[in-house]
Amino acid sequence: PKQFLHRSRVQAGCRNLRETDRPIAEIAVTLGYCDQSAFTSQFRKRMGITPSKYRKEFGRGRHRA
């Protein structure tokens, strides 16, 4: 159950990072993390990159290969 929760939060984070311009700290708190650092740690563990790099690569207006 704990892994499912982390995976679901990171997936929701991916959507937010791609589809909105909201600050990462705001996304983190909205998803239930205590702060941006906790979110970034879980995100990097599961996705292999930081949320900011993910947004730069896949965010709105970015060309996808």
Side-chain angles (χ1 to χ4, degrees):
K2 194 173 185 178
Q3 287 186 8
F4 173 78
L5 179 61
H6 287 304
R7 186 173 56 246
S8 297
R9 286 177 172 177
V10 169
Q11 287 174 346
C14 287
R15 270 193 313 277
N16 276 276
L17 292 166
R18 283 192 317 266
E19 299 172 4
T20 73
D21 293 326
R22 293 171 51 205
I24 295 170
E26 183 180 317
I27 292 170
V29 171
T30 301
L31 294 175
Y33 290 95
C34 59
D35 58 23
Q36 181 175 340
S37 178
F39 173 61
T40 297
S41 177
Q42 273 302 315
F43 194 94
R44 184 183 303 144
K45 181 178 179 181
R46 299 195 176 273
M47 300 299 294
I49 59 173
T50 64
S52 60
K53 285 184 182 180
Y54 183 91
R55 175 174 269 166
K56 285 177 187 172
E57 202 168 318
F58 301 106
R60 290 191 311 181
R62 303 294 186 253
H63 297 285
R64 294 185 179 103

